[in-house]
Amino acid sequence: MKQVKFLILAFVMPFLLGVTACNPEEEVKQPSVTLTAGEASATSITFTATTENATQAAWMVVPASETAPTADDVLANGRSLQVNKAETITAPNLNPSTAYTVAVVAVGEKNTTNAFKTIEMSTSAQEGFSFQLQITMDEITHNSASFVVTATD
């Protein structure tokens, strides 16, 4: 009789333990970032950043001639970004005719994973024009003066 109980327990216990012990943890969704270039002017660039499954997000713009930032750099020194939605951002006060690196990072649930994207954008050339004037005095008398004005570009 003891052998029968032992055999029943030997076959039933692994099944019971398997059913109660295999409680899979809820799957953590991985964060994602989509980064799309927009318009550029002589002193600003506009881009759209979209994050999903994120608890925190940040962005940064640096000249492309500098070392590109890492995800940790962007989190520590970047500007906050709204999470789990698209946000259109304009980075102002940039130099004309300059390439820039745009970096966006999204932090996932439980701060365990990051999604990191970069794109390169350039500002346009300075609008407007410049010229030089040269004024030369030609004749000066007691009641008049004549001069020559020369403009060059």
Side-chain angles (χ1 to χ4, degrees):
M1 184 70 170
K2 286 185 180 184
Q3 287 180 338
V4 172
K5 286 183 184 179
F6 177 75
L7 288 174
I8 291 173
L9 284 176
F11 287 111
V12 172
M13 284 304 284
F15 174 73
L16 291 175
L17 289 175
V19 170
T20 59
C22 287
N23 186 7
E25 289 187 27
E26 190 175 309
E27 184 179 325
V28 175
K29 295 179 180 178
Q30 299 298 313
S32 66
V33 172
T34 304
L35 194 50
T36 307
E39 298 293 318
S41 73
T43 59
S44 68
I45 55 175
T46 300
F47 57 93
T48 301
T50 306
T51 60
E52 292 181 0
N53 303 318
T55 58
Q56 178 185 3
W59 64 274
M60 178 183 278
V61 174
V62 297
S65 59
E66 296 181 10
T67 303
T70 64
D72 290 337
D73 293 335
V74 176
L75 285 172
N77 303 310
R79 302 183 80 171
S80 293
L81 180 66
Q82 294 182 25
V83 295
N84 303 323
K85 64 185 300 184
E87 185 174 355
T88 299
I89 300 161
T90 298
N93 304 320
L94 304 177
N95 295 322
S97 301
T98 304
Y100 289 90
T101 300
V102 178
V104 175
V105 64
V107 178
E109 296 176 20
K110 301 180 184 177
N111 295 329
T112 56
T113 58
N114 291 341
F116 182 63
K117 294 274 178 146
T118 61
I119 59 171
E120 191 169 300
M121 295 182 68
S122 295
T123 52
S124 60
Q126 182 70 41
E127 297 173 8
F129 61 95
S130 64
F131 62 93
Q132 294 180 343
L133 285 179
Q134 181 179 359
I135 302 174
T136 307
M137 299 301 284
D138 194 28
E139 285 184 38
I140 300 176
T141 65
H142 70 295
N143 63 357
S144 69
S146 66
F147 53 92
V148 176
V149 177
T150 307
T152 59
D153 58 357

